[in-house]
Amino acid sequence: MALNGDEEDFKWEPPTEAEMKVIQARRERQDKISKLMGDYLLKGYKMLGDCCEVCGTILLQDKQQKNYCVSCQELDSDIDKDNPALNAQAALSQVRERQLAAQSPAPSQASELNESPSSSQGNMSVPQPRPEHCEGAAAGGRTPLPPPAVPSPSTPASTAALAPARPSVTPQSAARRLVLQEAEEAVLTKLRWATNQLQSSASLEASIQLCSLINSCANSLRSLKELTQ
Amino acid sequence: MPPMGHLHMEHVLQAVSVLEAVILRSFGPEGGQVLFTRDTGQAMLSRSGTRILTALHLEHPLARMVVECVWKHSSSTGDGSKTFILLLASLLRLIHAAASKESNVSHSYNSTKAAEAATARHLADKLLAFGLKELDELIATGVVPYGGCISWEDFTVEGQTPSLTNNLCVQKLLRSFFHTRCGYTHCDFSSHLTCELLSHWKFKNQLPSFSLQLVSDYFPALHTPVSGFPVRSSRLIKGQVIHRDFATPPLKTDDQPVKAVVLTGLLQPTLLNTGDVLELGYGGRMKEERSILLFSSWMESSLQGVIAKLQSLGVCVLLSAVKQSAAVLALATQAEMCLVECVSEDELSLFSQLSGTTPIWDCSMIESEHVATLAFCRPIQLGAHRYVHVAFQDSEERITIKPCSLIICAPGEGQIEQYACALQDAIRMLLRMWEPMHAAATTTSKRTLQSHKSASLHTDNLTEQTTYRSTAIQPIQKCVLKSGCVISAGGLFELLLHHALLQHGHSCSVSPDLNIDASVSQLLANALLSVPQKIYSHSPRHFLESQRRVISFLSKFPNYSHPLTLVYKRESTISPIQAEGPLGDGKLSLHCCREGDKFSKVSELDLGLESVSCKYQLLLAVLQCVASLLKVDTVLPTHTALHTQSRRFARTSWEGTEDEGED
């Protein structure tokens, strides 16, 4: 991108508050990195001429010829904590932010959902996302397992099924039932997956572990059924 | 940095910040020592920035370049290596900040990083030009009036002449130097010893730099390290100590003048080498008996002739640079001559200089000019070793100096090295202080002339081989700074120069064409403040207080021209023995002393003196280093080592085998 010409587009302006905080944090992080690297140099590590591919910090090499990047391996990364796929807190804050943005058109439909669980307009996500959901989402993002099925389309169906049976149920127990239904769905999905894996598994260890997974899924289903009754 | 990629300011900054973090904890009068250990159990103790930095394992080319600059600066001034790194880091940070502000405007580069790099380079060049042209004047007007001047003739040991200028003597300067290098305990003793040594080596009718240069060059031959004794047993000894023992029994006649000859060749040359074939004949006629015994007896008789000639000249002592054969040893013992073998070149050249003789290669051509007269030559036991002690007879040419050597004692090997290095650096610092400025520039420019081409300033294809010369290449036209200027230590130089630079900047900003000078001097002024900040890093309050005092003083008395001293008074009454400790609790005050004031109690806690010309050289060296660092565009990795171990590694025994991994 050539910068010739348009001078008025690139006048330097003083940084805003948020930018100042970011700059300050970055500077502190750089100072911490320098101090750590200095300590390692005094311990006998070698400073190499290469940089880390991930973060660009200068690499150190210990006496066993192993390369070591101070910022990646010691300090917490300053961008990882903002990634919702890797951090439950970030995911939670992201969902809350989305919720705040969708707050105004949502309340009428949310109250409708609470009063008549039989309504099947399940476009909205569950009103109060719980950390367990986020943890589940995060866990699902880290491991290569298929993500658990989205609970919302099934929830209205299950609540619709339950509604004729208990028309006078209170909103709190309906919410509780919702959670239990979701949990059941998740466990069933995991059970299905484990069975598929077991059929195609070739190693003894993997089979043993899959069987134990199926066993624990069955146990959880049993306890969930006890809870609903 | 990525292979064949472009160098960004962040890389440079990070490399220098790491070096800064390494030396920061040893900086200042309260700094700590670094103990290096090897797997063999050898330990090295140091507080000198150069030693610490050269002992690190560094393969990063920029870091190596900076350490090379520091080493070269330190080998010429003897001090200031940690301050160098601090100033370098703060200058780079400020240039980076200024460049990222300005780079958005009117540059046609492919990326903002390249624009930033170009602006930074431009700024660095301007800083260097400013430093070379105007800095000495600013120092002369803004800093020197608040300091003092030590002249070579005043070079007396404290206590002998309780003169009025008691507070401005070389001992004070050396005391603060040894305080930062070796600790508080022995700084008085060490400075006293150094002054004594130098007063013995004073040549009359010569510049101070002559004798200081002599002592500095011959320092390895002039000192003898002895381990296992307390530091206070260090002393001066008359004459020269040759660090070898006698190969033949020493002379029996003590305290009589003896004659000595310095040999650089073999007395009995080896005519036969491996693989040579000797054809034996006998005067041209072929006889049946051809025997090697005749040949060896002929060799022996020629040797006997040489020894007889030496005896006729009255020579009793032979100092040989090489190892002589067994026949020579036997004959010398028989002739009652003593022989010292394998004497090092330094010691032989010092001996020749002090005795006024020249060494001889071939003994058959010996003349009386090769024969030296010694007052005595006897063995001396120092610690676990026996050495040869020679003293020179006073002659008319050399009547002014009484040559003496230094015996340095310390409990351990590491400490001996520390003290020896500190002494050598102290002498270099004094040499720099008393050397006239333009002479310094021309001598160093001669030294750097042959490398001028290699250090050319177009470093687009800079490889790891480029070395940096830390001294000015163009000679300074006029020397404004007098030699021998000193100023009170503790950051006063930086504070005064900061003030002077700001004032200069204000006066420059008035006229539009000197606008760039204003920003440059502002940048330099801010960078300078980092040094006193780090000195008082344990209590930022003291830094702000001292700054406030200096500025208020300067504004009240702009034409004051007497020495200022930053004095640190303790609030509680602690005895001087316990005075070493953190400077945390105490008051900092500014004392203005007039000529003739006496400091009795206050001088104990005084922060000492430092040399103005050393500081000026330091600033110039830092500016040049910054300019060189920012000129680097790319770094090309090579697969073979481009240069073998550099000279400096040969001196320190710590980098013996680690450099082979260079790739």
Side-chain angles (χ1 to χ4, degrees):
Chain A
M1 54 176 215
L3 295 178
N4 49 354
D6 312 313
E7 287 182 18
E8 50 272 313
D9 289 350
F10 299 111
K11 277 208 183 61
W12 180 82
E13 282 165 359
T16 59
E17 270 290 315
E19 283 173 14
M20 279 300 289
K21 279 197 191 151
V22 170
I23 291 174
Q24 185 74 10
R26 206 170 288 161
R27 199 181 304 159
E28 277 173 14
R29 189 156 186 275
Q30 288 299 323
D31 285 342
K32 230 185 282 182
I33 289 177
S34 302
K35 187 168 181 307
L36 279 172
M37 281 183 72
D39 286 340
Y40 276 115
L41 278 182
L42 283 173
K43 277 193 208 149
Y45 280 50
K46 195 192 282 201
M47 186 196 237
L48 296 177
D50 305 316
C51 290
C52 175
E53 290 105 18
V54 173
C55 56
T57 325
I58 299 177
L59 281 174
L60 295 171
Q61 193 185 64
D62 63 2
K63 306 237 174 67
Q64 282 85 34
Q65 314 287 329
K66 213 175 59 145
N67 288 3
Y68 184 74
C69 174
V70 173
S71 69
C72 292
Q73 286 168 354
E74 243 184 72
L75 295 178
D76 302 325
S77 164
D78 60 351
I79 46 167
D80 271 359
K81 66 174 167 45
D82 296 326
N83 190 354
L86 294 176
N87 192 344
Q89 290 296 327
L92 187 56
S93 50
Q94 192 180 53
V95 172
R96 284 213 180 111
E97 277 169 24
R98 281 216 197 112
Q99 240 227 320
L100 277 172
Q103 191 97 60
S104 30
S108 51
Q109 288 168 340
S111 50
E112 244 185 77
L113 194 63
N114 273 335
E115 284 165 7
S116 53
S118 54
S119 75
S120 52
Q121 291 174 20
N123 287 350
M124 295 302 131
S125 55
V126 183
Q128 280 300 328
R130 283 171 189 76
E132 309 97 80
H133 297 189
C134 302
E135 279 298 333
R142 249 190 238 129
T143 56
L145 299 174
V150 178
S152 42
S154 53
T155 344
S158 47
T159 48
L162 279 172
R166 292 165 207 197
S168 60
V169 70
T170 56
Q172 280 154 339
S173 58
R176 196 163 146 245
R177 200 151 295 129
L178 273 160
V179 174
L180 292 171
Q181 291 296 332
E182 284 160 22
E184 230 182 285
E185 278 302 316
V187 174
L188 280 169
T189 320
K190 212 37 92 189
L191 197 57
R192 218 171 290 133
W193 171 81
T195 329
N196 286 336
Q197 287 289 317
L198 192 58
Q199 278 165 358
S200 59
S201 139
S203 92
L204 181 60
E205 260 309 308
S207 318
I208 294 174
Q209 283 174 354
L210 285 168
C211 287
S212 65
L213 175 61
I214 293 172
N215 188 18
S216 46
C217 285
N219 285 337
S220 351
L221 276 174
R222 198 178 303 136
S223 37
L224 279 172
K225 285 228 164 53
E226 282 168 18
L227 272 177
T228 49
Q229 282 146 12
Chain B
M1 54 236 72
M4 299 277 298
H6 278 274
L7 212 57
H8 301 312
M9 273 226 68
E10 279 89 20
H11 295 133
V12 180
L13 207 51
Q14 187 165 63
V16 177
S17 310
V18 173
L19 292 177
E20 186 193 20
V22 168
I23 52 107
L24 200 54
R25 292 217 309 223
S26 325
F27 180 68
E30 306 299 314
Q33 310 211 34
V34 180
L35 176 69
F36 287 100
T37 49
R38 270 198 136 160
D39 291 337
T40 53
Q42 232 180 329
M44 174 178 89
L45 199 62
S46 178
R47 210 187 253 158
S48 144
T50 328
R51 299 281 300 193
I52 297 173
L53 288 172
T54 48
L56 295 175
H57 298 297
L58 295 172
E59 265 186 23
H60 195 272
L62 288 178
R64 286 172 73 101
M65 200 167 138
V66 171
V67 171
E68 185 102 15
C69 295
V70 170
W71 181 76
K72 289 200 160 75
H73 170 79
S74 158
S75 56
S76 82
T77 50
D79 195 17
S81 37
K82 295 188 284 256
T83 321
F84 187 105
I85 299 273
L86 283 178
L87 275 174
L88 186 68
S90 70
L91 257 180
L92 279 173
R93 276 190 206 114
L94 288 171
I95 289 178
H96 179 56
S100 40
K101 264 194 249 176
E102 288 178 34
S103 65
N104 293 333
V105 181
S106 70
H107 281 291
S108 53
Y109 284 96
N110 287 337
S111 67
T112 44
K113 294 274 185 198
E116 222 178 76
T119 323
R121 202 173 302 164
H122 193 58
L123 259 178
D125 288 335
K126 285 227 167 47
L127 271 169
L128 182 59
F130 176 78
L132 287 173
K133 277 193 230 136
E134 300 184 38
L135 198 56
D136 54 346
E137 268 185 57
L138 272 175
I139 293 180
T141 51
V143 178
V144 169
Y146 300 100
C149 216
I150 304 181
S151 70
W152 177 246
E153 281 74 38
D154 280 353
F155 195 118
T156 51
V157 178
E158 202 179 278
Q160 285 181 7
T161 54
S163 64
L164 297 171
T165 53
N166 207 5
N167 48 338
L168 278 187
C169 60
V170 182
Q171 271 227 337
K172 243 178 97 162
L173 177 67
L174 288 174
R175 198 185 300 147
S176 55
F177 178 83
F178 283 117
H179 186 154
T180 56
R181 263 324 162 81
C182 306
Y184 181 73
T185 339
H186 299 294
C187 62
D188 267 336
F189 176 75
S190 310
S191 61
H192 188 89
L193 196 64
T194 317
C195 282
E196 244 190 87
L197 172 74
L198 291 175
S199 58
H200 277 117
W201 279 92
K202 263 171 97 165
F203 283 91
K204 286 212 182 93
N205 310 324
Q206 292 273 13
L207 283 176
S209 45
F210 180 77
S211 57
L212 283 172
Q213 186 78 51
L214 193 79
V215 175
S216 169
D217 289 341
Y218 286 116
F219 193 77
L222 274 176
H223 82 280
T224 311
V226 179
S227 66
F229 289 90
V231 178
R232 300 263 165 175
S233 339
S234 311
R235 61 190 190 278
L236 289 177
I237 190 171
K238 185 177 152 195
Q240 187 186 353
V241 174
I242 297 179
H243 300 110
R244 285 270 175 248
D245 196 6
F246 287 106
T248 56
L251 294 175
K252 294 193 190 65
T253 56
D254 265 345
D255 291 338
Q256 270 187 30
V258 292
K259 292 211 164 66
V261 166
V262 176
L263 300 167
T264 47
L266 292 165
L267 271 181
Q268 187 184 40
T270 46
L271 295 171
L272 287 179
N273 296 314
T274 356
D276 285 351
V277 176
L278 177 71
E279 239 188 69
L280 292 171
Y282 190 68
R285 290 170 296 161
M286 305 288 274
K287 277 200 155 177
E288 277 89 37
E289 41 182 300
R290 293 177 222 169
S291 141
I292 190 83
L293 289 172
L294 285 172
F295 177 72
S296 44
S297 65
W298 167 78
M299 294 246 292
E300 218 180 285
S301 55
S302 62
L303 182 61
Q304 273 169 344
V306 170
I307 300 270
K309 191 161 180 194
L310 285 171
Q311 265 181 320
S312 67
L313 285 169
V315 172
C316 302
V317 177
L318 295 169
L319 298 172
S320 163
V322 295
K323 190 158 174 58
Q324 305 285 349
S325 62
V328 172
L329 285 175
L331 278 173
T333 320
Q334 214 174 39
E336 289 186 7
M337 285 196 225
C338 59
L339 174 67
V340 186
E341 291 178 320
C342 303
V343 186
S344 74
E345 229 180 276
D346 290 337
E347 290 172 13
L348 284 180
S349 64
L350 177 65
F351 184 89
S352 321
Q353 185 133 27
L354 290 176
S355 59
T357 59
T358 45
I360 189 168
W361 169 267
D362 185 6
C363 252
S364 51
M365 299 200 274
I366 191 166
E367 305 283 329
S368 59
E369 72 205 16
H370 299 122
V371 180
T373 316
L374 303 171
F376 58 76
C377 171
R378 53 179 179 230
I380 184 170
Q381 184 81 28
L382 289 174
H385 302 279
R386 201 174 78 156
Y387 297 125
V388 172
H389 183 199
V390 297
F392 300 94
Q393 216 160 40
D394 291 333
S395 67
E396 298 79 33
E397 301 97 42
R398 253 195 329 100
I399 204 140
T400 51
I401 62 162
K402 305 181 265 306
C404 58
S405 295
L406 191 56
I407 296 177
I408 304 178
C409 301
E413 295 268 346
Q415 277 162 311
I416 287 191
E417 229 182 289
Q418 199 183 16
Y419 275 101
C421 287
L423 275 163
Q424 190 160 20
D425 288 339
I427 293 171
R428 275 199 205 118
M429 181 189 67
L430 289 176
L431 173 63
R432 193 59 46 191
M433 185 171 84
W434 271 311
E435 205 172 32
M437 290 305 296
H438 55 259
T442 44
T443 47
T444 48
S445 68
K446 277 194 206 118
R447 266 188 261 139
T448 60
L449 215 50
Q450 62 267 27
S451 63
H452 185 60
K453 299 223 169 43
S454 69
S456 68
L457 305 176
H458 305 290
T459 54
D460 289 325
N461 297 321
L462 192 66
T463 58
E464 287 183 9
Q465 193 186 6
T466 303
T467 50
Y468 159 77
R469 303 289 162 183
S470 74
T471 50
I473 292 180
Q474 53 264 44
I476 302 173
Q477 305 297 350
K478 52 179 169 69
C479 66
V480 185
L481 287 177
K482 294 182 291 184
S483 61
C485 294
V486 292
I487 193 162
S488 174
L492 191 62
F493 176 88
E494 282 83 13
L495 289 170
L496 290 171
L497 189 57
H498 165 83
H499 185 80
L501 279 167
L502 284 180
Q503 286 199 316
H504 177 80
H506 287 147
S507 62
C508 277
S509 58
V510 174
S511 54
D513 49 329
L514 290 175
N515 216 0
I516 191 68
D517 259 5
S519 60
V520 159
S521 41
Q522 181 110 27
L523 199 78
L524 192 55
N526 290 339
L528 276 171
L529 274 188
S530 68
V531 176
Q533 250 175 355
K534 294 285 183 343
I535 293 180
Y536 297 113
S537 58
H538 52 270
S539 61
R541 181 176 66 93
H542 281 137
F543 163 65
L544 291 171
E545 219 181 275
S546 56
Q547 191 181 14
R548 182 187 63 83
R549 279 175 197 268
V550 167
I551 291 178
S552 67
F553 184 81
L554 288 174
S555 51
K556 266 191 263 175
F557 308 106
N559 295 323
Y560 194 77
S561 63
H562 288 293
L564 282 180
T565 326
L566 265 179
V567 171
Y568 193 81
K569 273 205 266 242
R570 292 202 170 265
E571 261 160 359
S572 49
T573 54
I574 308 177
S575 65
I577 301 167
Q578 299 164 345
E580 182 167 16
L583 289 174
D585 46 346
K587 246 186 344 187
L588 201 65
S589 60
L590 200 60
H591 270 250
C592 345
C593 61
R594 285 172 236 290
E595 305 272 352
D597 275 2
K598 281 202 186 148
F599 279 87
S600 46
K601 286 182 242 174
V602 179
S603 59
E604 275 180 28
L605 308 168
D606 195 345
L607 291 163
L609 299 172
E610 53 192 16
S611 151
V612 170
S613 55
C614 287
K615 285 279 180 182
Y616 172 55
Q617 281 235 311
L618 174 73
L619 276 177
L620 280 183
V622 171
L623 291 173
Q624 287 208 312
C625 188
V626 167
S628 311
L629 272 180
L630 291 177
K631 279 191 168 66
V632 178
D633 272 331
T634 338
V635 175
L636 300 173
T638 59
H639 288 294
T640 51
L642 283 174
H643 62 104
T644 50
Q645 286 182 9
S646 35
R647 253 177 312 132
R648 63 181 162 106
F649 294 153
R651 288 198 326 156
T652 62
S653 56
W654 291 88
E655 293 285 353
T657 51
E658 283 86 353
D659 238 27
E660 283 135 20
E662 204 170 315
D663 195 52

